Amino acid sequence: MQTRNIRVKLRDGEMGAYLAIPDRKPAGAIIAIMEIWGVNDTMRHHAHEFAEAGFVCLVPDLFWRQEPGVDLPHDESAMGKGMELAQGFDADKGAADLGA
């Protein structure tokens, strides 16, 4: 499998994303939507699982407008920061980013 961090150009900026590509011809593609902890080890692990199953998997950094590169541990210690980001998240812009 190939993995890398990429930049996705949007109309009003650039969003980071994590990309996992299978070693064989892809069966399809999946966009995995991050949790409140950002594009962290858990999300990268899920991307690897999808790639091992034969799918290209993209995990976009939906918090890029607030704080690019959020990578919090998937535990209670980071819950406050994750909730703060989630509360400030603009769902309409996030949906537009996913569509782009």
Side-chain angles (χ1 to χ4, degrees), residues 14-85:
E14 272 191 357
M15 171 177 60
Y18 185 76
L19 180 65
I21 302 170
D23 289 329
R24 61 185 185 266
K25 182 179 177 183
I30 293 171
I31 297 175
I33 299 177
M34 63 178 220
E35 300 171 295
I36 63 170
W37 293 278
V39 182
N40 64 359
D41 286 342
T42 299
M43 293 308 300
R44 288 188 291 273
H45 175 76
H46 291 313
H48 296 172
E49 291 176 323
F50 287 126
E52 288 170 0
F55 294 88
V56 172
C57 184
L58 181 74
V59 185
D61 175 10
L62 296 176
F63 287 151
W64 76 276
R65 294 175 183 279
Q66 299 158 268
E67 187 176 321
V70 172
D71 181 352
L72 301 172
H74 195 273
D75 61 28
E76 199 161 319
S77 71
M79 184 69 73
K81 176 68 174 179
M83 291 301 290
E84 174 187 320
L85 288 164

